[in-house]
Amino acid sequence: MIGVRLYLAQRLSALVMAPLMIGHLAVMIYAVQNGLSAEEILSRTQGSLWWGAFYGLFVIAVSIHAAIGVRAVVYETAGLPERILNPLTWAIGVSLFVMGGRAVAGVVL
Amino acid sequence: MHRRAEVLDVLVWRGDANGGGYHSYGVPAQESQTVLDVVTWIQQNVEPTLAYRFACRVGMCGSCAMMVNGEPRWTCRTHVKKVFGAKGLVIAPLRNLPVIKDLAADMAAFFDKWTAAEGRFHPSKSRNDAMEPISPEAPNRVAANAAIECINCAVCYAACDTVTANPDYFGPAALNRAWTLQNDVRDAGYTVRQDAVSSSGGCFNCHSHQSCMTYCPNELNPTASIAGLKRLSALSYLTGGKAR
């Protein structure tokens, strides 16, 4: 159900996610200390290659990590066969990537 | 109060693969009495048809494991006074395995998974070769020694929630055995075993719940062994099989 490639993909995506998550939380807490409007946030993120790369990488890592994690949960609770699990894993990963990608595009472009 | 003057209230699961239920027995309490003593007393005095499994009675053979008050235990080394609870003593066949009859679980799947995980020794020398010198201090020997005292009792297999949820998963005992062999310099099956433990039922399914470590009667740590296999498999994959 989980082979070496999926295992490595999940661990490596976690490795990418961990510092990005800490960065996300730290910036969020710092940025709202004195109150910050949506316009002010967008003025900093729009057109920023750096924030686009930061959250773009975050979305890619989350899509990989969550899809494999949900695959394990679904298998162990519903016992679905691999012929269903494999497309389901891809569907979850692609859905998260598209939704996250739209969100990143919304604040960066 | 379930422990009347000199009599223990004991519930024993009786049945077969088609189902069954708990039967109640009163067993005379004795000093230094083990759970296996209780089961044996019931069979010899009340229920001659009660099926259960044991051999050595001293914690070496791994035959007598059962669920005792909901937890997997080696019954020959489990004293009644240690486990007797508010509900008395509730004895059932091992979890995660099919039942043959009463307290005798079908161990076939357990040992089939040992085979699937390449839990057998692959000889690398013949009797004509010189004996391989093994240093007890060598790191791989130290790693193997830490995991080698498994008695195949299947307590860890019964304790593992991942085995419950994932019937393809080899389980802690088989992977622990594979880990000892991956650290044995005399063994010639490293590559084939690495493929086996990296397969879809292999080490990557372990969620590190550590129930195996908690319940192992020999105080082994199969979770650590499985973590070792994950490390070896990942390194092997990343280096195209060159890392060992």
Side-chain angles (χ1 to χ4, degrees), chain A residues 1-5 7-8 10-11 76, chain B residues 113 116-117 160 162 166 168-176 178-179 182 193-209 222-236:
Chain A
M1 196 273 299
I2 298 276
V4 64
R5 283 191 296 178
Y7 172 81
L8 278 174
Q10 200 179 26
R11 290 305 182 275
E76 292 187 8
Chain B
K113 288 177 178 178
C160 179
T162 309
N166 180 353
D168 297 333
Y169 177 46
F170 295 158
L175 293 169
N176 182 72
W179 170 246
Q182 292 306 66
R193 190 173 302 106
Q194 209 54 55
D195 289 344
V197 300
S198 308
S199 66
S200 67
C203 59
F204 297 117
N205 293 285
C206 172
H207 295 308
S208 306
H209 294 153
T223 309
S225 301
I226 295 166
L229 288 176
K230 286 176 179 174
R231 219 164 37 237
L232 286 184
S233 299
L235 275 174
S236 175

Side-chain angles (χ1 to χ4, degrees), chain B:
Chain B
M1 187 67 186
H2 293 268
R3 187 169 185 163
R4 300 191 299 268
E6 295 292 320
V7 178
L8 305 171
D9 285 341
V10 182
L11 289 175
V12 175
W13 194 90
R14 299 212 62 199
D16 55 27
N18 298 315
Y22 285 96
H23 292 226
S24 181
Y25 304 96
V27 179
Q30 293 178 339
E31 272 303 301
S32 298
Q33 189 176 22
T34 66
V35 174
L36 184 63
D37 292 335
V38 168
V39 175
T40 299
W41 188 92
I42 294 170
Q43 197 225 33
Q44 292 186 350
N45 295 279
V46 189
E47 295 276 16
T49 61
L50 177 66
Y52 66 111
R53 197 185 280 120
F54 75 97
C56 75
R57 299 175 296 161
V58 291
M60 292 180 73
C61 74
S63 307
C64 69
M66 301 170 199
M67 301 302 290
V68 181
N69 289 356
E71 297 181 9
R73 292 185 177 277
W74 52 354
T75 57
C76 71
R77 298 290 299 271
T78 303
H79 279 248
V80 170
K81 66 182 176 195
K82 185 181 169 188
V83 292
F84 201 85
K87 292 180 179 174
L89 204 54
V90 183
I91 307 171
L94 274 182
R95 181 174 171 246
N96 291 341
L97 289 163
V99 176
I100 298 174
K101 184 174 182 291
D102 303 335
L103 300 173
D106 185 350
M107 305 288 282
F110 176 72
F111 287 112
D112 285 348
K113 288 177 178 178
W114 271 57
T115 311
E118 284 294 336
R120 72 179 181 86
F121 181 68
H122 292 251
S124 57
K125 294 181 185 305
S126 75
R127 68 182 66 186
N128 301 316
D129 294 311
M131 192 174 285
E132 180 93 32
I134 307 287
S135 165
E137 283 86 33
N140 51 9
R141 194 62 238 166
V142 171
N145 280 348
I148 204 121
E149 295 293 344
C150 174
I151 57 171
N152 323 338
C153 64
V155 160
C156 60
Y157 191 84
C160 179
D161 287 340
T162 309
V163 171
T164 310
N166 180 353
D168 297 333
Y169 177 46
F170 295 158
L175 293 169
N176 182 72
R177 168 68 177 162
W179 170 246
T180 64
L181 291 167
Q182 292 306 66
N183 283 287
D184 191 333
V185 293
R186 301 165 305 163
D187 182 89
Y190 185 91
T191 307
V192 65
R193 190 173 302 106
Q194 209 54 55
D195 289 344
V197 300
S198 308
S199 66
S200 67
C203 59
F204 297 117
N205 293 285
C206 172
H207 295 308
S208 306
H209 294 153
Q210 302 183 47
S211 304
C212 51
M213 185 191 82
T214 303
Y215 287 101
C216 175
N218 274 343
E219 299 180 349
L220 304 183
N221 186 353
T223 309
S225 301
I226 295 166
L229 288 176
K230 286 176 179 174
R231 219 164 37 237
L232 286 184
S233 299
L235 275 174
S236 175
Y237 179 78
L238 292 172
T239 60
K242 291 189 183 74
R244 178 170 177 175

